[in-house]
Amino acid sequence: MFTLALVSEATIRAAERAAVVARLETDASALEIGRDGSLRSWTRRSDGHDYLATNQPAPLLSLGTSGTLLAPEAADWDATRRRLTLRFGKAGWTAVVQARTHATHLSLELVEVTPAGGADLALWGPYPTRIRKTVGEVVGVVRDDTFALGLQALNIKTLGGYPENDEGSADRPFGARQTDFGSVLQAYSMDRSKPRRLTIWGKRAPNMPVPAVPGETVIGSKIALFGCPEPQALETLGRIEVAEGLPHPLIDGVWAKVSPERGRSYLIANFSEATIDEMLGYVKRANLMSLYHENAFQSWGHYAPNPKFFPGGVAGLKACADKAKAIGVRLGAHTLSNFIQTHDPYITPEPDPRLAKTGESRLTEAVDATTTTLPVASPEYFTNRLGNELQTVVVGKELVRYRTVSTNAPWKLLDCQRGAYGTRAAAHPAEATVGKLMDHAYKVFFPNLEMQREIARNLARVFNATGLSHMDFDGHEGCLAPGEGTYGNELFAKEFHDHLDHTVINGTSPPLSHFYWHFNSYCNWGEPWYGGFRDSMQEYRINNQVFCERNFIPKMLGWYLLRTATCLSDMEWMLARSAGFDSGFALATTLDALRKNPESGPILDALREWEKARRAGAFTAEQREALRNPKREFHLEAVSGAGWDLFPFHDSADFQHESLIRQPGEPTSATWDLRNPDARQPMQLKLRVVGASGSIRNPTLEIHRSATVTLPVEIQAGQSLLLEADAIVRLYDAKGNPLQSFPLKGALPEVHPGANPVVFDCEFLGDTPPKVTVTFKTRGAPVRVTRR
């Protein structure tokens, strides 16, 4: 980790008094640099307001080596060549920065460091600002109500953030960071041209040898700085992209970041050459953006189409994509970035020599093709438990798995499986290299940097050949495996982007990186596997909307799961959140679930109408605020030629009942006063059984002493029951996952406007009976919403 030497208050005051050596202007802002090489001011040109924070160090560029950063002590400006020379007296370094001014931004490029190779790191900033209201940590833009300041890395060697470690990685690279005084903007480059030994990827690979990246020094590190009126910040970023040759993907000729297609929802489901037409019918009925395959490839690494779904290979997959394109639907395919599956040709029958290795040793004596013990000179890399899920080494062209390492010298890999993963067991001489392969809990291996770039090109080639146009960089963190930190993430995405012949809509897994932001289409984080439809990662999903807003990323709510038992009210609960946050989502399902769910049709129609209304801007700010509340439910109905009717639901108070000891013959029921603020309608309710053990059976409700309904079901502690206007009884487990459903015999009793006396009873079972909580809901009068 690099540390910037502390600057005393006297030094700061001296810097403030320093004469201005250069003033660089854009249409909206101006930057002044003092003779000490620090920023003197960063002002809004319209009125001279200075956004540079006071009493904070603000070096234009610091240089580092061996973990220490040095700020410049002096600066000279060559107005003719537009070059700033920074002098670092203690180290004897000189750095030359080329400056260029544009209408939108300033560009600053490190073009020379003397003596050559002396600096391992170049840090732009941190530049302290007074702005604190909205800090886009990934995009590198800070905003208040009127003005925005930003920093953009202009090539992938320049990483948005601060050098937190020698690897150059972070959980979330902070191109901007909020501080007590406001915020800072920052970026850096590292010298990767020399071999290094690093502990990488959250200590998964201690002391890993990382080979040199030829020519990849700090020279050429380049940033843009800009200031503009706050409403123009996103537009300014787009203009910088075009001016500086950054990725600037278009959708139907419109920049992706402002395209009406941004943030559209999509369907995740496997399809095949035989089922593509049926699946596209579902997607088209719901008017979703794309159909996204979970298992389209035979293996990750080479990405041949999966013959289970595409017996026609590339041609078969392309035929599916052509059908989708003809009706305005994108076709997508899932992979895990640079993850390499063990049955891919990179692994078997001969392992590629460019597989990432956490370290190496050597054989201390020759071995034949049958021995189950490998004698090694050192146990260092083989005993590590992190990043060692497959416990596999490579010797020559053979992969060998081992159970453990001997506890004492002479060191040996024990209980070896020779010729693992379809490789050929062979004899190996003494001194042969034994390389420990980098792996992962998903049972995959990883490439080195060169091979990682090749894998990105493989992926692009398949997308070009088939016409696929939607993909997630899921597992993007796997690009840390070569040991080059965030640089590896950026390089993989750029390599893929640069070799495409058409726009590919794409998302990513955390962390989202600064340069990749230009290529990224959305961040759709939140998974459905950890709870019921309404419960899984809900707080995380909502928090991500704020993250996306401050980083100019189209908002998405994550994945939701459509099962055979998913009901319309659950789907509309999610769709209300989607409309409230103006966020898209992914709906994961299967062909079987779509065929068997009795509400598939109404659900797909609801998806279509809610998405139409959301994308049309039909909801007012007040309505969107209500729609965001996860405790509220709504129903939307299309009105021919007149927009939509939005129906709110109102929940009653929670009514409770528990097992009580009564006299013989005395009623055990509870009496409740249900107040209905809406029109006369069928009774609807949610019943929850609360407790550590026991159950209830046959809950019965009597309303107005004239209508009785009994629900013939046993409900365990922790489970819940839903009864809605369709008169279907739905039972859920403790996590909200559907267990069973069945139609109720007979009509539902009705609740009248105003007071409704309700008598409730049930059988309590178990030594410690649970309690029952019942919440009623009623549907209110609609409000008409229309396209804006």
Side-chain angles (χ1 to χ4, degrees):
M1 179 176 178
F2 287 84
T3 304
L4 186 63
L6 295 176
V7 179
S8 68
E9 289 188 18
T11 302
I12 294 171
R13 286 194 295 272
E16 291 174 345
R17 293 193 301 270
V20 172
V21 70
R23 178 179 171 87
L24 306 173
E25 295 182 347
T26 69
D27 285 353
S29 68
L31 197 72
E32 292 183 328
I33 303 169
R35 290 198 179 278
D36 64 345
S38 293
L39 301 195
R40 178 70 176 81
S41 67
W42 195 349
T43 56
R44 180 171 56 198
R45 288 190 64 192
S46 62
D47 59 5
H49 181 79
D50 190 0
Y51 286 96
L52 193 68
T54 57
N55 297 324
Q56 298 295 326
L60 178 72
L61 176 77
S62 297
L63 296 178
T65 187
S66 302
T68 299
L69 276 166
L70 294 177
E73 298 177 10
D76 298 312
W77 173 245
D78 182 337
T80 302
R81 301 179 69 193
R82 309 289 288 175
R83 287 191 167 193
L84 187 74
T85 300
L86 302 174
R87 306 187 188 284
F88 300 78
K90 294 179 181 178
W93 292 332
T94 299
V96 178
V97 175
Q98 178 70 60
R100 294 179 177 87
T101 55
H102 306 263
T104 51
H105 67 285
L106 313 170
S107 69
L108 302 171
E109 181 179 4
L110 179 60
V111 295
E112 182 181 326
V113 174
T114 306
D120 297 329
L121 179 134
L123 172 65
W124 301 97
Y127 304 127
T129 89
R130 303 172 188 264
I131 297 177
R132 196 173 190 273
K133 182 177 181 181
T134 303
V135 176
E137 65 270 46
V138 171
V139 70
V141 178
V142 299
R143 297 174 276 157
D144 61 16
D145 292 331
T146 60
F147 209 68
L149 299 175
L151 177 154
Q152 291 292 287
L154 296 182
N155 49 41
I156 59 169
K157 74 159 53 189
T158 311
L159 305 178
Y162 190 88
E164 298 181 14
N165 48 55
D166 293 338
E167 177 189 5
S169 67
D171 289 338
R172 183 166 283 174
F174 290 102
R177 182 172 59 82
Q178 193 175 73
T179 65
D180 291 340
F181 56 79
S183 58
V184 294
L185 297 165
Q186 53 199 4
Y188 68 98
S189 291
M190 305 179 78
D191 188 334
R192 304 174 188 278
S193 65
K194 307 164 190 172
R196 298 176 293 166
R197 284 186 177 268
L198 305 174
T199 295
I200 74 159
W201 199 356
K203 300 182 180 179
R204 291 174 66 88
N207 198 33
M208 174 175 161
V210 177
V213 181
E216 191 59 65
T217 68
V218 297
I219 302 300
S221 183
K222 188 177 183 182
I223 64 167
L225 294 176
F226 71 90
C228 66
E230 191 277 337
Q232 299 174 17
L234 183 58
E235 176 190 352
T236 299
L237 287 169
R239 293 175 67 186
I240 292 172
E241 286 182 349
V242 173
E244 297 291 346
L246 297 173
H248 188 74
L250 305 177
I251 302 175
D252 299 328
V254 180
W255 184 32
K257 289 292 192 294
V258 297
S259 165
E261 293 293 292
R262 71 188 185 282
R264 283 193 65 188
S265 303
Y266 54 97
L267 189 73
I268 300 174
N270 289 342
F271 56 89
S272 68
E273 294 175 43
T275 63
I276 183 64
D277 293 318
E278 182 178 357
M279 290 302 303
L280 287 176
Y282 295 127
V283 175
K284 197 65 178 175
R285 179 170 179 175
N287 194 29
L288 298 174
M289 176 187 73
S290 73
L291 175 59
Y292 188 88
H293 204 296
E294 291 187 275
N295 194 25
F297 301 119
Q298 185 171 350
S299 65
W300 300 333
H302 282 79
Y303 308 108
N306 189 337
K308 175 182 176 182
F309 300 104
F310 309 107
V314 168
L317 181 51
K318 184 179 186 302
C320 293
D322 288 345
K323 286 183 175 182
K325 185 177 181 179
I327 60 172
V329 173
R330 292 181 177 274
L331 218 57
H334 186 69
T335 182
L336 281 173
S337 296
N338 68 336
F339 288 36
I340 306 172
Q341 292 175 313
T342 56
H343 57 285
D344 187 83
Y346 279 130
I347 306 299
T348 184
E350 290 187 2
D352 193 291
R354 298 170 297 171
L355 291 169
K357 303 175 185 66
T358 63
E360 297 177 341
S361 186
R362 57 183 175 80
L363 290 177
T364 56
E365 57 186 76
V367 297
D368 62 24
T370 62
T371 182
T372 59
T373 299
L374 295 187
V376 292
S378 168
E380 179 183 3
Y381 296 105
F382 311 113
T383 55
N384 178 39
R385 302 306 301 172
L386 294 174
N388 196 9
E389 303 290 338
L390 300 179
Q391 296 195 172
T392 302
V393 298
V394 57
V395 189
K397 296 180 179 180
E398 178 188 0
L399 296 183
V400 180
R401 298 188 71 185
Y402 63 97
R403 181 181 63 82
T404 190
V405 183
S406 60
T407 55
N408 299 294
W411 305 108
K412 297 178 180 179
L413 307 185
L414 304 177
D415 299 334
C416 294
Q417 175 194 345
R418 303 296 302 276
Y421 302 115
T423 62
R424 187 175 66 85
H428 303 287
E431 302 298 319
T433 299
V434 182
K436 171 66 188 68
L437 293 184
M438 169 78 81
D439 62 30
H440 188 273
Y442 282 19
K443 310 301 183 186
V444 293
F445 296 112
F446 292 101
N448 69 9
L449 196 67
E450 175 195 348
M451 185 181 177
Q452 185 163 286
R453 298 182 70 172
E454 181 176 290
I455 287 174
R457 294 193 295 271
N458 290 346
L459 199 55
R461 189 179 307 114
V462 170
F463 271 64
N464 291 340
T466 61
L468 291 170
S469 58
H470 183 190
M471 188 195 80
D472 279 345
F473 285 94
D474 199 2
H476 205 171
E477 68 277 9
C479 294
L480 299 173
E484 298 294 351
T486 305
Y487 174 80
N489 294 69
E490 307 285 34
L491 188 60
F492 185 83
K494 186 175 187 298
E495 195 80 16
F496 177 66
H497 171 268
D498 288 351
H499 286 83
L500 291 172
D501 62 12
H502 61 285
T503 295
V504 172
I505 302 296
N506 66 94
T508 185
S509 59
L512 178 66
S513 50
H514 175 76
F515 188 89
Y516 166 64
W517 178 91
H518 299 287
F519 177 45
N520 172 257
S521 307
Y522 62 83
C523 293
N524 196 27
W525 302 334
E527 298 179 357
W529 326 117
Y530 308 109
F533 195 95
R534 306 188 187 204
D535 303 315
S536 184
M537 303 182 75
Q538 196 57 38
E539 183 177 355
Y540 173 75
R541 297 173 192 266
I542 291 173
N543 289 341
N544 282 333
Q545 307 315 301
V546 181
F547 165 79
C548 289
E549 282 183 346
R550 64 179 180 256
N551 283 287
F552 298 114
I553 298 167
K555 292 175 291 184
M556 303 289 280
L557 280 175
W559 292 25
Y560 288 88
L561 195 59
L562 172 61
R563 310 171 191 252
T564 56
T566 301
C567 61
L568 178 61
S569 64
D570 272 348
M571 192 62 65
E572 286 205 286
W573 175 89
M574 182 273 289
L575 290 167
R577 309 294 84 79
S578 171
F581 288 105
D582 191 15
S583 303
F585 55 86
L587 189 63
T589 189
T590 64
L591 181 58
D592 188 61
L594 287 165
R595 287 172 172 172
K596 293 181 179 178
N597 189 314
E599 295 192 87
S600 280
I603 285 174
L604 294 173
D605 293 340
L607 290 169
R608 180 185 66 247
E609 297 306 326
W610 277 97
E611 283 288 274
K612 276 185 181 179
R614 176 179 75 85
R615 297 180 63 218
F619 303 107
T620 66
E622 183 180 6
Q623 288 167 344
R624 289 198 303 272
E625 185 65 30
L627 290 167
R628 293 181 183 189
N629 186 346
K631 295 182 179 179
R632 297 289 306 276
E633 293 187 60
F634 297 87
H635 170 66
L636 191 72
E637 289 185 4
V639 180
S640 180
W644 300 267
D645 278 342
L646 180 66
F647 294 84
F649 285 91
H650 301 114
D651 286 347
S652 72
D654 288 344
F655 296 104
Q656 295 185 335
H657 182 51
E658 59 184 308
S659 177
L660 299 172
I661 299 175
R662 302 285 177 90
Q663 296 181 21
E666 182 179 0
T668 59
S669 59
T671 301
W672 302 328
D673 181 16
L674 169 61
R675 298 280 173 171
N676 174 19
D678 302 309
R680 181 170 177 169
Q681 59 190 274
M683 180 179 66
Q684 302 182 72
L685 61 87
K686 183 173 184 178
L687 182 153
R688 298 177 294 278
V689 179
V690 181
S693 63
S695 63
I696 70 164
R697 183 187 296 157
N698 299 329
T700 300
L701 298 102
E702 178 191 83
I703 189 166
H704 291 293
R705 300 180 183 175
S706 59
T708 301
V709 59
T710 297
L711 310 179
V713 65
E714 182 173 342
I715 311 170
Q716 303 294 325
Q719 295 179 350
S720 60
L721 178 147
L722 186 66
L723 180 63
E724 296 186 309
D726 58 6
I728 294 177
V729 178
R730 295 179 173 89
L731 189 64
Y732 299 86
D733 67 16
K735 291 186 176 181
N737 297 307
L739 292 174
Q740 63 169 305
S741 63
F742 57 88
L744 189 65
K745 294 181 179 179
L748 286 171
E750 290 190 330
V751 293
H752 298 188
N756 293 264
V758 176
V759 177
F760 176 86
D761 207 353
C762 64
E763 300 174 45
F764 287 97
L765 305 174
D767 294 335
T768 305
K771 298 180 181 180
V772 179
T773 298
V774 177
T775 306
F776 298 91
K777 73 175 183 179
T778 56
R779 192 170 84 170
V783 175
R784 182 65 52 85
V785 297
T786 58
R787 183 183 301 271
R788 296 178 185 275

